[in-house]
Amino acid sequence: QLLPLVTGYEEYLPVFVLGVVIFMCAMNDITAPSVSLEGKSIWILQSLPVPARKVLDAKKKVHWALTVPPAALLTAALSFVLGVSLTDTLLMLVLITVYIMFSASLGLWLNLRKPNLSWTNEAIPVKQSMAALIMILGGFAVSALFIGGGFLALKVMPASVYIALFCVLLIV
């Protein structure tokens, strides 16, 4: 039932699908409050005979493990239902993975800059931290930028080139 609605706009489908999936992934901000959630017991992690980098990488890997599979499945399903080409679908999967890796790293970096270790309720670092707010609103902005830029860019380049360029931008 969706296909008649998109007739004539097929070249915009990969960009729109990716924008929607990025928007949804932006709401999953696992790393943004992860350091703050350690609270007053952060000394336990600091006293372990493990490099700090390894602990932080573990936090990012949890974010990836919980976000990449559902996002990839949603992207593949929407691409299949809407008839997006295999090449564009593969590029879309790469971009979603890169975006999730980018958002996990940025969320962790933001929380490391100013963690809240003296909270009294777990909801405070999760729902009231500046890192979580920046990550959620920033993800919405990335989604809007991707869709808006895509509608402008697709007048001069194919969707696959635009997706690849945005992927490179996120990697850089």
Side-chain angles (χ1 to χ4, degrees), residues 54-67:
K54 211 166 187 148
V55 173
L56 297 176
D57 283 344
K59 292 176 182 295
K60 287 194 292 189
K61 287 177 184 176
V62 167
H63 184 106
W64 300 342
L66 293 176
T67 309

Side-chain angles (χ1 to χ4, degrees), residues 49-128:
V50 177
R53 176 98 175 161
K54 211 166 187 148
V55 173
L56 297 176
D57 283 344
K59 292 176 182 295
K60 287 194 292 189
K61 287 177 184 176
V62 167
H63 184 106
W64 300 342
L66 293 176
T67 309
V68 170
L73 184 63
L74 177 63
T75 303
L78 286 173
S79 296
F80 177 75
V81 167
L82 295 173
V84 175
S85 73
L86 182 62
T87 307
D88 284 347
T89 301
L90 292 175
L91 276 170
M92 292 164 65
L93 291 171
V94 168
L95 180 63
I96 285 298
T97 304
V98 168
Y99 170 75
I100 291 169
M101 294 172 115
F102 168 77
S103 67
S105 298
L106 183 61
L108 188 60
W109 180 79
L110 286 171
N111 196 227
L112 283 170
R113 300 290 296 158
K114 191 133 174 95
N116 178 2
L117 301 174
S118 59
W119 47 266
T120 55
N121 183 349
E122 292 87 358
I124 292 172
V126 173
K127 296 183 178 187
Q128 296 178 1

Side-chain angles (χ1 to χ4, degrees), residues 3 16 33 40 53 56 80 83 85 131 143 157:
L3 293 178
F16 185 71
K40 293 178 177 138
R53 176 98 175 161
L56 297 176
F80 177 75
S85 73
S143 176
M157 67 180 76

Side-chain angles (χ1 to χ4, degrees), residues 26-44:
M27 290 184 251
N28 192 8
D29 61 343
I30 295 170
T31 56
S34 66
V35 174
S36 293
L37 281 172
E38 302 299 336
K40 293 178 177 138
S41 59
I42 197 162
W43 66 271
I44 296 171

